[in-house]
Amino acid sequence: MKLRPIKTEADYQATLKAIELLFNAAPNTPESDRLDVLSTLVEAYEKEHCAIELPDPIEAIQYYMDTRGWSRHDLESCLGSRANVTEVLSRKRPLTLEMIRKLNQELGIPAEILIQPYELMQTSA
């Protein structure tokens, strides 16, 4: 396979097959160099054509809680109070900058996920 930019889905699939054949290449060999170059090409193509959307902030909080075995009570340290936890998780209150910082530090949720805009529930006045 001649090295060239990946421009089509067919190019992408062919490059993935070439990578698979080189996957066990010994370090510091022409094959491992070729693997590095092909991997870089695939990464660039995927970044442009296969972008994965960030998850919804509230769904991300719930996922991180579930995977760490956290309860709503545990979330109070990040969101400030039981009422805040309820209102944030039910989408009645937006996350504040301080809440985002604490969620990032304590749960490890990336800030770029938490700062995204998201739908709040409309409250009747």
Side-chain angles (χ1 to χ4, degrees):
M1 176 183 193
K2 184 176 173 184
L3 286 179
R4 58 189 179 86
I6 300 172
K7 296 181 180 179
T8 66
E9 180 66 22
D11 292 343
Y12 175 66
Q13 293 301 325
T15 306
L16 290 177
K17 286 180 185 175
I19 286 172
E20 187 176 334
L21 294 173
L22 295 169
F23 202 70
N24 293 319
N28 302 316
T29 63
E31 290 80 15
S32 71
D33 291 345
R34 185 174 180 80
L35 176 62
D36 286 344
V37 171
L38 291 175
S39 297
T40 301
L41 290 171
V42 165
E43 184 179 338
Y45 180 85
E46 287 176 344
K47 185 174 183 180
E48 185 175 334
H49 294 83
C50 307
I52 298 172
E53 289 186 31
L54 294 173
D56 173 86
I58 303 305
E59 290 174 9
I61 292 168
Q62 291 170 335
Y63 170 80
Y64 276 76
M65 286 174 60
D66 290 345
T67 59
R68 285 157 182 77
W70 275 36
S71 67
R72 285 178 170 241
H73 176 72
D74 297 320
L75 207 54
E76 289 176 24
S77 64
C78 297
L79 303 183
S81 71
R82 180 181 297 180
N84 284 355
V85 171
T86 299
E87 290 175 352
V88 166
L89 293 180
S90 65
R91 300 175 183 267
K92 293 179 181 175
R93 173 190 294 258
L95 291 167
T96 66
L97 183 56
E98 186 62 26
M99 290 174 183
I100 290 169
R101 284 185 182 132
K102 287 183 178 180
L103 289 164
N104 174 259
Q105 291 169 351
E106 293 190 34
L107 277 175
I109 303 173
E112 64 253 4
I113 291 174
L114 297 169
I115 63 172
Q116 295 181 98
Y118 60 94
E119 294 282 328
L120 291 175
M121 298 294 288
Q122 299 295 325
T123 56
S124 55

